[in-house]
Amino acid sequence: MPIGTQGTVKAVSPRELRELNAQIILGNTYHLFVRPGIDVIKHFGGLHNFMNWDGPILTDSGGYQIFSLAKLRRISEDGVQFQNHVDGTPAFISPEIAMEIQAGLGSDIAMALDECPPWPCERDYAAKSLELTTRWAKRCKEAPRHDRQLVFGIVQGATFEDLRREAAEAVVAIGFDGYAIGGVSVGEPEEEMIRAVESSEPSLPKDKPRYAMGLGTPPQLLAMIARGMDMFDCVLPTRLARNGTAFTSTGTLNLKNAEFTMDKRPIEESCACPSCREFSRGYIRHLIKAEEILGLRLITLHNLYFYLDLIRQARAEIDNGAFEEFRREFVSNYKTRDSEA
Amino acid sequence: MPIGTQGTVKAVSPRELRELNAQIILGNTYHLFVRPGIDVIKHFGGLHNFMNWDGPILTDSGGYQIFSLAKLRRISEDGVQFQNHVDGTPAFISPEIAMEIQAGLGSDIAMALDECPPWPCERDYAAKSLELTTRWAKRCKEAPRHDRQLVFGIVQGATFEDLRREAAEAVVAIGFDGYAIGGVSVGEPEEEMIRAVESSEPSLPKDKPRYAMGLGTPPQLLAMIARGMDMFDCVLPTRLARNGTAFTSTGTLNLKNAEFTMDKRPIEESCACPSCREFSRGYIRHLIKAEEILGLRLITLHNLYFYLDLIRQARAEIDNGAFEEFRREFVSNYKTRDSEA
């Protein structure tokens, strides 16, 4: 899912998203709540109409951003009191309010409100937090939804295998339309992340979508797919693009580098994206150096295409029964660089 | 001509320019000379190939930017010594070098190197400068060109009617493929600008394109068309867009204003541009307030469409013999605001 934090996938138009064959995008409830405000989006008939995107939208609950961005948070059984990071306006969010907001946004998939513990996290805290997340999940399940809106529950439990299993069983017992693994990619080492997913996954029903939240590098995505994950959201393709970094099958290129000044090749020779069909590395480098918007537009389009195409290939290879071979080959060609960490 | 200062019309792709039916764009020689450098663009086979724009390109001589942006200028009979504004590298430009650079860029229309005196300007200075510009024009005429490249001469003479006439006659005597009126829209009152054009125009052949440089508001463009001008370049549609300002037939709208928060209408109801067909004022306002790139993209597309469509209408009304009526009606509906000054 390309990330549309503030009612737009950064630098990209809805038409371009359709041309990239994006099947679903993510909207950040917290950001939209802060600006322009839910009343504005409701006035426009929901987020689809507001931003003119007729494909599916998944909204997060806003919880993650409250914990990572907002100020003066106070968490209680009932919900979270906070001040938004833009103008400090105090606000309160509860499981019921999170669902009401997402109903107002009219997303196709709403996420339950959870507490996402930081990494590292004490076991005691993780256990208590997990129980609160479970009680909140129940309240989210019972809250009113938008017409035909699906709701996903979230598995927490930090890096503790038994807590992950316990969390997964509890959220499955409540019963959701899909299940997300949260609290991963929050700074923990990659092995811990993979263990958290591996501990959660066996308890999640195979016939429901499984969503690994906030991941990751291309090899990480394939590692997650190998472990049964179906859905991802990731800021890397759009965020790194704005920094001049392009994904390729051998790793990222920093297009600011002088070595690309005279380079007539596209970002990737074999790529069929709109940028690679028409523009050279040398031209894109010039645009980025000159701080021209078209530069980050072109890299953003390429990076989104790269991610979406990687998942398309993975899907096809699963159908062919050749996913593991595909993954091994991809990972052996791909060099992960620090900029992706 | 939409302005493509640094090898891109700001925020817009070549494909979007084609869809807007832009017939020609302007490239700024000085900016391209400073970055990425002419050798780079020559390596890519010229500016058309570099930026992937297959329509006509007019390049300016770079003179205007040297006089307005560069540091430590020293002007002599031979040319101008200066330091570029990005990293202070010293450089020298002469009429021959200006033509050589434009031949390297491979533009369809090159401009002669001129000195553009500031406003206000003493008569003595204007007269001397005009003579230098005339001598430089001769040297430009004689310099080698790119294959099939046209060259336009420039009429200077500040705000002095007799100097304008003298300048026009001198440049026409040299003989160019088209004629530009320079040294207008440099801070002088509108009446002085119009007088400068009116004093130059009668000496310019009717069967060659006439280009009023660096203009202007929509009513100013129509005023210039009424006085026989055929071509324009203007930063207003792209520059004001990046500030959240959109052109309409009744004047500009500042889309940052709170009044547009809930406004479901497009920027202009009757407009057929890609932004107005798909997006509301309220959504675009949100994007601009949230500093999202899509916001300035959408306003840029609208504003370019507005300017190009205004000229299309003017052309059609000239064919219909109804231009003066069209102009009167347009101007009576259009309120020029300070933001356009």
Side-chain angles (χ1 to χ4, degrees), chain A residues 282-302:
Chain A
Y283 178 60
I284 296 173
R285 174 183 192 268
H286 161 66
L287 294 176
I288 294 291
K289 294 294 286 181
E291 299 183 354
E292 286 287 353
I293 284 167
L294 184 60
L296 55 91
R297 281 183 61 187
L298 294 178
I299 306 179
T300 299
L301 287 176
H302 170 81

Side-chain angles (χ1 to χ4, degrees), chain A residues 58-73:
Chain A
L58 177 146
T59 44
D60 61 16
S61 68
Y64 184 79
Q65 275 75 27
I66 290 172
F67 292 114
S68 58
L69 288 179
K71 289 172 283 193
L72 288 176
R73 298 177 301 273

Side-chain angles (χ1 to χ4, degrees), chain A residues 1-4 24-26 57-58 109 211 231-235 304 308:
Chain A
M1 296 181 283
I3 300 209
I24 176 169
I25 62 172
L26 180 143
I57 299 175
L58 177 146
I109 303 174
Y211 163 26
M231 294 172 66
F232 305 94
D233 71 284
C234 182
V235 294
L304 286 173
L308 292 166

Side-chain angles (χ1 to χ4, degrees), chain B residues 73-95:
Chain B
R73 300 177 300 274
R74 213 178 56 230
I75 190 165
S76 66
E77 184 65 31
D78 199 27
V80 195
Q81 181 73 44
F82 64 97
Q83 294 188 353
N84 83 46
H85 72 294
V86 171
D87 60 11
T89 306
F92 177 75
I93 195 169
S94 66

